Amino acid sequence: MNTALWVVLPYIALTTFVLGHLWRYRTDKFGWTARSGQLHEQRLLRWGSPLFHYGILVTALGHAAGLLVPAGVTEALGVPVTLYKLAAFVLGGVAGIAALAGLAILIYRRLTVRAVARSRVFGDTVMYTLLTSTMLLGLGITLFGGGHEYRETVAPWFRSIFVLQPDTDAIADAPFWFKVHALSAWMLIACWPFTRLVHAFSLPLGYFTRPYILYRGREGSRRA
């Protein structure tokens, strides 16, 4: 069971993530979008979208720093453990609350605005369920995790996945809710390519090079 959960599942999720995006790009380029309903409703979107996107961005950066940077590196840089934990608690808590509040607004908008609800596609329910559960678990761990040093358990196991030497003993020492959070995150990663989350990799770089769009009024066209 340990091998299935902490070795097989991560590699299946990563393989599905990479190959799924390649398949989606080759077969559904026009569907590579978040399917925004901005034209249908803007009041809730104006609040929910920034809260979610900025909150999730800070959360992702915090996860990258916590999981990929060994504890010895921050100690060598002179960052005390207490300061690191305080920063993780404050920044992670604020970012997590903001992202979760934004997600709640966006889900409420999608359920209550009829025109937006009609834009739902297959997989949205699964995506929103996994995303919400993963965020709730992460926020709960941040606020009520009891000070567990995940950089000695979850982080070494996570890094070992990418060097093809999975360390199941490290994750075995993590508390139960940390493990559930990790499993939920892997399932979300596996489903990612088949949902609207693919738009996270759509950088609008073409906006900087495309020509300006000229608008002409009706009066000007009539005179011409």
Side-chain angles (χ1 to χ4, degrees):
M1 180 61 70
N2 283 335
T3 301
L5 293 178
W6 312 120
V7 180
V8 177
L9 177 61
Y11 284 124
I12 290 177
L14 289 172
T15 302
T16 306
F17 183 83
V18 175
L19 297 182
H21 277 91
L22 294 175
W23 170 83
R24 178 78 179 272
Y25 185 77
R26 289 177 61 88
T27 61
D28 188 25
K29 290 183 180 180
F30 290 105
W32 193 285
T33 172
R35 294 179 174 86
S36 174
Q38 184 176 359
L39 295 177
H40 302 301
E41 195 283 331
Q42 297 187 29
R43 184 176 60 86
L44 292 172
L45 184 65
R46 189 179 300 114
W47 285 98
S49 183
L51 281 172
F52 173 74
H53 286 94
Y54 286 118
I56 207 69
L57 177 61
V58 175
T59 301
L61 293 175
H63 276 67
L67 295 175
L68 299 179
V69 180
V73 174
T74 56
E75 294 175 0
L77 294 175
V79 180
V81 176
T82 53
L83 178 61
Y84 178 90
K85 289 185 177 182
L86 179 62
F89 176 80
V90 175
L91 293 177
V94 172
I97 292 173
L100 195 59
L103 180 62
I105 294 174
L106 294 177
I107 293 177
Y108 173 80
R109 173 178 178 270
R110 189 159 296 277
L111 292 176
T112 58
V113 179
R114 184 176 301 177
V116 179
R118 283 199 294 264
S119 67
R120 285 185 296 179
V121 296
F122 177 78
D124 278 355
T125 302
V126 175
M127 182 272 291
Y128 280 123
T129 301
L130 287 174
L131 185 59
T132 302
S133 61
T134 302
M135 292 173 59
L136 279 172
L137 287 166
L139 182 61
I141 288 172
T142 299
L143 299 179
F144 312 107
H148 172 72
E149 186 52 81
Y150 68 93
R151 292 189 297 172
E152 296 179 357
T153 56
V154 180
W157 161 76
F158 183 78
R159 292 194 298 270
S160 71
I161 294 293
F162 294 91
V163 297
L164 305 181
Q165 296 179 347
D167 185 2
T168 57
D169 292 336
I171 189 68
D173 295 331
F176 173 77
W177 290 113
F178 282 78
K179 297 178 180 179
V180 177
H181 178 54
L183 293 175
S184 179
W186 283 123
M187 288 187 289
L188 177 62
I189 289 173
C191 295
W192 192 300
F194 314 105
T195 68
R196 65 180 69 240
L197 293 177
V198 293
H199 79 282
F201 301 101
S202 300
L203 298 178
L205 299 179
Y207 290 161
F208 297 102
T209 57
R210 74 179 185 180
Y212 291 104
I213 300 176
L214 299 179
Y215 293 93
R216 300 183 185 276
R218 293 183 178 179
E219 294 182 359
S221 61
R222 290 174 181 174
R223 292 174 185 175

